[in-house]
Amino acid sequence: MKKQIKAPLFETLLSHAKRDVVSFHTPGHKNGRSIDSKLKSFTGEDVYSFDVTVFPEVDSLHDPTGPIKKAQELMAQAYGVKNSFFLVNGSSQGNIAMFMAACDPGDSVIISRSSHKSIMSGVILSGVWPIWIQPKIDQNLDIIFNSSADEIKDALDKFPEAKAVFVTSPTYNGVTMDLFKIAELCHSRGKILLVDEAHGPHLKFHQDLPVSAVEAGADLCVQSTHKILSAMSQGSVLHFNSDLIDFNRVRKIVSLLQTTSPNYLVLASIDLARRQAFVQGEAMLEKVMQAADYGRKKINQLGKFTCFTRQHIMSLGYDLDPTKLTINVTRTGFSGYQIEDILAKEYNVQVDCADIFNVIAIMGMGSDKSDVNALVDALEEIEDKYQGQQQNWILQIPSLSTEMVMMPRDVYFAAKTKRVPLSKAVGYISAQTLTPYPPGIPVLIPGERITKEISDYLTDMSAKDIRVSGQETETLRTLKVVVT
Ligand SMILES: Cc1ncc(COP(=O)(O)O)c(C=O)c1O
C-alpha cells in the first residue's frame, strides 16, 4: 500500500503551477492575475494557479487517462471497492447518479421517507416508482430513526418487484443501520443496495467506528468527502462495487451529471483527503473520537443539555458514529434554532444545523479538543444566563397513509398543473412536495393522491401559520395539483 502515499492529481497540479505556464486556456483570470484584489489579498495568490481547465497534463474528469485516473484508482483501493468516481457537485450529484445508474424508468425502489432532498431529485430524474417506508420517531431522544433491517425485510417481502433498496446511513445524527444484514437481505434476492453515506466517508478508517457501506457490500455508495474528511466543499466520491449494475452505465451517468469545467482545487483536495485518511486516518480519528467522547461526557454533566451515547443507540439496535454530537436542548425552554442562534452570535460557535429539539455539532478531521471546550463552555454559560419557558413540543409523525398514483417524473415534467384551494384539493394528485418541520418528513410528494386527512392536516398547519417547506406561496391556502 506504499502507493497510497502518492497524490497523483495534487502532485501534477503542483508541478504544473511551478512551471508558471502562459495560460491561453480558461478560466479567464489567468492564474489569478485578474482576480479581485481584495479576494486575492485574503486568499493569497498561489491557489489560483490550481484553477486550470482540462488539458492532457492535468487529465479530464470525463475520460480520465492520467493523474485523475490514478487518483481515482487509489481512492478505490483505499476503500476496497472496484471503482471510485470523483464528484464535484457533492453527494447530491452522487445520489441522483445512483438512481439513474441502477434503475430504468418504471423500476420501483424501496426508500425511507426521511431522506435528503437530492433523493427526490434522483427519483424524478430517473423515473422510478418510490416505495416509501416510514421512519420512526424516538420521543425520548427527539430524533428520527430510519427503518431497521427487519423493516426493510418486511418491505422486500411485501414488494418483491422492487429492483433496489436505497438507505441513508449514517443519518444526520450519526445513527447507522445494520448494513451487513441489509446487504445480505438485498443480495440474497438479487436486489441492488444503494447507500447514501454522505456523512460517513471516514468510517472505513478507524476500527472502532461503525461499519461502512463499502465494507458491508453496498453496490453503489456515495460519500461527501468534504463533510468529515478534508476535501473542500462539493468534493464527494461515488464508489462502485457491484455485480448487479453495469459499470459502463455508471460511468456514463456520472459523466452526464458532471460539469465539463470541474474545479481542480476541489479535485486535488479529494485526492489529498484520501491520502490523509489512509495514512493518518486512524490516529487523527482517534483524537477526534476522544474529543467527542470528552464533549459528550461534559455536556451530559450540564443540567439542561443532553447528548445521547453510543451505548444507548446500540441498545436500540443501531450504531452511532460518535463524532457527531446531537445536543438535546428541550430542558432549556428554548428551541434548537434559538440555541444555534445564541451560540453563533454570542459565542462564535457555529453548529452544523438545528431543529426544534436539538443542535447538531459535527466534528471532522480538523476538529480538536479546544473546539469542544469552546462549545461546552458556551453551553454552560447559556444554561446559567438564559431562562426559557417550558415548551410542550412533541416530535411526531402524522399517521397519514399515502397513495402514489403517478410517477413523480411524469408529474414533474409532463403533467399540466393548477392551484386549488386546500379545502377543495381532496381527490386531486399533488404536484408538489410539502415537508413540515419538524419532523422533516414529506406529507405529500408529486404523484400522491391528496386525501381528506392530508388536506385536514395541512389546513391545521396553515391555521397555525406553520411554514411548510415546499409551499410555493406565502401562505398554505392552495395546493398545486395535476390537471386530469
Ligand atoms: C444525508 C445526506 N445526503 C446527501 C447530502 C448531500 O450532500 P452534498 O452536500 O455533498 O451534496 C446531504 C447534505 O447535507 C445529507 O445530509
Side-chain angles (χ1 to χ4, degrees):
M1 291 289 181
K2 249 167 68 189
K3 280 194 202 149
Q4 289 290 334
I5 296 166
K6 293 197 177 305
L9 183 56
F10 168 70
E11 284 149 15
T12 303
L13 289 164
L14 197 60
S15 81
H16 175 78
K18 282 185 182 154
R19 285 197 290 119
D20 201 14
V21 171
V22 179
S23 162
F24 278 100
H25 59 73
T26 61
H29 60 66
K30 307 295 169 191
N31 298 322
R33 206 185 280 152
S34 68
I35 289 278
D36 180 272
S37 58
K38 285 220 167 81
L39 180 59
K40 207 165 25 176
S41 76
F42 180 70
T43 58
E45 256 176 75
D46 290 352
V47 68
Y48 301 105
S49 56
F50 265 43
D51 189 15
V52 293
T53 190
V54 182
F55 45 78
E57 184 188 357
V58 298
D59 208 2
S60 153
L61 186 57
H62 288 261
D63 188 16
T65 54
I68 294 183
K69 181 169 187 276
K70 284 193 195 135
Q72 291 189 148
E73 283 168 0
L74 286 174
M75 179 67 79
Q77 191 188 66
Y79 281 92
V81 296
K82 292 182 179 175
N83 298 90
S84 299
F85 297 89
F86 288 8
L87 309 175
V88 287
N89 192 18
S91 294
S92 302
Q93 178 194 351
N95 278 336
I96 298 169
M98 288 202 284
F99 279 101
M100 292 179 74
C103 303
D104 293 320
D107 283 341
S108 38
V109 184
I110 294 169
I111 315 170
S112 171
R113 189 100 174 166
S114 74
S115 297
H116 184 256
K117 65 191 282 192
S118 57
I119 275 67
M120 202 57 214
S121 312
V123 166
I124 289 167
L125 291 169
S126 64
V128 299
W129 279 99
I131 299 170
W132 300 108
I133 41 178
Q134 280 292 3
K136 285 169 299 189
I137 293 282
D138 185 313
Q139 290 180 336
N140 291 321
L141 302 181
D142 297 318
I143 63 164
I144 295 169
F145 281 87
N146 275 337
S147 313
S148 63
D150 288 343
E151 283 155 334
I152 286 175
K153 178 179 178 301
D154 291 346
L156 280 165
D157 289 344
K158 203 164 153 204
F159 301 101
E161 72 275 22
K163 181 165 185 187
V165 171
F166 187 106
V167 298
T168 302
S169 178
T171 61
Y172 232 106
N173 307 102
V175 175
T176 61
M177 308 166 93
D178 186 347
L179 289 175
F180 271 124
K181 191 161 171 194
I182 295 170
E184 218 282 305
L185 281 169
C186 288
H187 292 156
S188 63
R189 294 158 200 239
K191 311 292 182 195
I192 293 167
L193 176 61
L194 309 172
V195 182
D196 175 351
E197 199 171 51
H199 288 277
H202 56 308
L203 300 181
K204 174 81 169 64
F205 298 105
H206 195 291
Q207 57 178 1
D208 293 339
L209 285 169
V211 71
S212 72
V214 287
E215 292 164 301
D219 292 271
L220 284 172
C221 134
V222 65
Q223 299 173 335
S224 291
T225 320
H226 68 92
K227 284 198 199 298
I228 321 294
L229 300 183
S230 303
M232 293 178 68
S233 286
Q234 297 182 218
S236 283
V237 173
L238 177 68
H239 297 294
F240 169 85
N241 210 19
S242 183
D243 297 325
L244 299 171
I245 305 171
D246 173 15
F247 170 69
N248 275 320
R249 177 163 170 164
V250 182
R251 210 162 47 86
K252 277 193 258 175
I253 296 289
V254 169
S255 178
L256 194 79
L257 298 171
Q258 197 101 271
T259 172
T260 51
S261 304
N263 187 316
Y264 277 76
L265 188 60
V266 173
L267 292 175
S269 76
I270 301 175
D271 192 22
L272 292 169
R274 181 268 314 152
R275 176 169 82 177
Q276 183 184 68
F278 191 91
V279 178
Q280 299 159 261
E282 179 99 17
M284 289 176 82
L285 287 164
E286 178 65 35
K287 280 196 186 148
V288 176
M289 285 159 72
Q290 276 178 14
D293 282 348
Y294 161 82
R296 185 172 275 106
K297 216 174 270 164
K298 285 277 181 195
I299 291 165
N300 283 327
Q301 283 164 3
L302 300 174
K304 293 182 185 163
F305 295 99
T306 52
C307 190
F308 54 74
T309 62
R310 189 168 184 185
Q311 287 93 312
H312 190 109
I313 297 298
M314 285 174 105
S315 74
L316 303 173
Y318 294 81
D319 200 352
L320 180 70
D321 166 10
T323 67
K324 293 210 166 49
L325 301 171
T326 299
I327 304 161
N328 191 293
V329 307
T330 46
R331 284 194 223 154
T332 63
F334 292 102
S335 71
Y337 303 117
Q338 289 168 307
I339 298 294
E340 176 188 29
D341 196 53
I342 297 171
L343 280 169
K345 293 196 178 136
E346 289 192 30
Y347 297 94
N348 274 335
V349 172
Q350 184 61 59
V351 293
D352 195 71
C353 62
D355 56 40
I356 286 189
F357 309 93
N358 305 293
V359 291
I360 302 177
I362 291 185
M363 303 193 44
M365 284 305 221
S367 299
D368 65 26
K369 199 169 165 189
S370 67
D371 301 333
V372 175
N373 277 327
L375 172 65
V376 172
D377 290 350
L379 293 175
E380 192 169 3
E381 221 176 287
I382 290 171
E383 242 186 26
D384 292 343
K385 192 165 158 192
Y386 290 95
Q387 271 303 328
Q389 283 186 351
Q390 201 50 46
Q391 304 289 346
N392 293 320
W393 294 314
I394 298 172
L395 182 62
Q396 46 196 349
I397 306 181
S399 63
L400 304 169
S401 41
T402 54
E403 186 196 4
M404 196 110 233
V405 284
M406 267 181 88
M407 207 186 268
R409 181 169 79 172
D410 291 344
V411 175
Y412 207 85
F413 291 121
K416 272 191 140 185
T417 59
K418 65 176 180 181
R419 300 203 77 85
V420 294
L422 238 180
S423 56
K424 300 211 168 111
V426 176
Y428 278 103
I429 299 168
S430 173
Q432 60 188 132
T433 305
L434 287 172
T435 312
Y437 282 85
I441 296 166
V443 164
L444 269 179
I445 274 167
E448 284 181 340
R449 180 87 64 201
I450 301 164
T451 60
K452 168 113 181 30
E453 47 168 4
I454 291 176
S455 148
D456 287 349
Y457 180 77
L458 291 172
T459 306
D460 185 45
M461 297 259 129
S462 167
K464 289 179 182 149
D465 255 348
I466 295 176
R467 201 175 164 84
V468 175
S469 166
Q471 75 183 57
E472 292 171 1
T473 44
E474 236 351 271
T475 57
L476 188 61
R477 303 236 165 78
T478 58
L479 289 186
K480 192 155 88 186
V481 300
V482 175
V483 178
T484 43

